[in-house]
Amino acid sequence: AMKARDRILDTVDKLIDRFTEENPEGSERAENTIVGRLIYGKDKDNNRVMSRGEMKDNILNLIFAGHDTTYASISTLLHHLSQHKDAYDALQEEVTSLTEPLNASDLKNAPVLNSCIHESWRVDPPVPGSFRKAVKELEHKGYIFEKGTVFNYSILMATSDSSLYKDHRTYNFRRFLPKDHKLYVAEIDSGIDPIQGRSNYPIFGGGTHVCLGKAFAMLEMRLLAARMLKHYNVDVRNSEKVFLPVNGWRVEFKLTRRKQL
């Protein structure tokens, strides 16, 4: 495995060299692509750029870290939809009404689609927790934490907090619907905006160290779910709860093409 990783890093090394040769600092791709920002981006405090090792590690993380969480997220969403026919029917009705070709703006503004995805992540966050390190001494409620202290925060505890989420153990896509939607139910609304990703919904972390792949993961999930339910009926079988390598549900599913509407 380590030898395979080294070979991949060698390939990434060559890709970085090629990118810098073809896209000098200040060029359009250097300014407007993730790889360009990783290579040329500077720390706002000390104007430091990433080392070559940091660049390679971050690019490797973008390639592989999102792979596990994305496949786990889509299978977990399918599991919850199979258990809640009202959510499945509402989502299929909404995505069927979307015009082709699908575009990012329409998907971003599809309320049922986004609510189903956000609720699936709330119930079963792919990554149940993460870490942060104090860059300076901190004081909180009389406790002093030295610079360098490592904190573990629990995403799962935040998204299952009964003081934040009513009926928190139940999957209910209506929880995140806008108030003007016909399926909105006030009793289940917790007043939390999952897009903000604050401490009450830290699926992608938060702050300056929010997950780099957040926007891409959302686009992938929206597109996959919309494509599947727009064109197919999905029959989910043999759901199995898993915790590693990521938290969620492993499922088998069968796609049956829908009749043209």
Side-chain angles (χ1 to χ4, degrees), residues 221-239:
M221 284 291 290
R222 289 166 177 153
L223 188 57
L224 280 168
R227 280 282 181 213
M228 291 177 73
L229 271 74
K230 183 176 176 67
H231 298 290
Y232 299 92
N233 290 317
V234 185
D235 179 23
V236 176
R237 307 169 183 172
N238 301 325
S239 291

Side-chain angles (χ1 to χ4, degrees), residues 10-193:
D10 286 341
T11 301
V12 173
D13 214 16
K14 294 173 184 176
L15 290 173
I16 292 173
D17 287 336
R18 181 177 174 182
F19 187 94
T20 54
E21 289 173 5
E22 297 177 353
N23 306 280
E25 186 173 5
S27 65
E28 181 180 356
R29 293 193 69 202
E31 295 289 335
N32 298 312
T33 64
I34 293 176
V35 174
R37 298 296 292 271
L38 285 173
I39 293 172
Y40 297 113
K42 297 179 181 179
D43 188 295
K44 65 179 181 180
D45 294 325
N46 55 28
N47 215 34
R48 185 184 76 88
V49 297
M50 285 188 183
S51 67
R52 178 58 71 103
E54 289 172 327
M55 290 179 199
K56 292 192 291 185
D57 284 341
N58 275 279
I59 292 173
L60 201 63
N61 183 52
L62 283 172
I63 294 171
F64 289 105
H67 177 268
D68 287 343
T69 51
T70 299
Y71 87 72
S73 293
I74 193 66
S75 62
T76 299
L77 174 62
L78 291 178
H79 164 75
H80 287 301
L81 292 176
S82 73
Q83 301 298 305
H84 300 275
K85 191 175 184 301
D86 58 335
Y88 180 99
D89 290 345
L91 178 54
Q92 191 164 62
E93 178 183 353
E94 180 177 81
V95 298
T96 298
S97 69
L98 296 177
T99 57
E100 295 283 3
L102 297 177
N103 65 73
S105 178
D106 287 344
L107 295 174
K108 184 178 181 179
N109 292 299
V112 176
L113 173 63
N114 288 286
S115 295
C116 286
I117 293 171
H118 289 311
E119 179 67 348
S120 182
W121 275 332
R122 184 196 69 79
V123 176
D124 289 296
V127 180
S130 191
F131 300 88
R132 290 289 185 266
K133 180 188 286 188
V135 297
K136 62 181 180 180
E137 184 179 281
L138 300 173
E139 186 274 332
H140 180 67
K141 294 186 176 181
Y143 293 93
I144 302 297
F145 301 94
E146 297 179 355
K147 177 182 177 180
T149 300
V150 176
F151 299 91
N152 169 239
Y153 67 92
S154 174
I155 296 172
L156 185 58
M157 289 181 68
T159 60
S160 58
D161 188 339
S162 60
S163 69
L164 297 174
Y165 296 98
K166 303 168 186 176
D167 195 16
H168 65 282
R169 293 187 177 89
T170 302
Y171 178 95
N172 192 331
F173 77 100
R174 294 174 177 81
R175 191 184 309 277
F176 295 119
L177 285 175
K179 293 180 179 177
D180 60 352
H181 195 277
K182 64 181 181 180
L183 297 178
Y184 171 79
V185 177
E187 289 74 19
I188 199 67
D189 183 5
S190 298
I192 292 172
D193 181 2

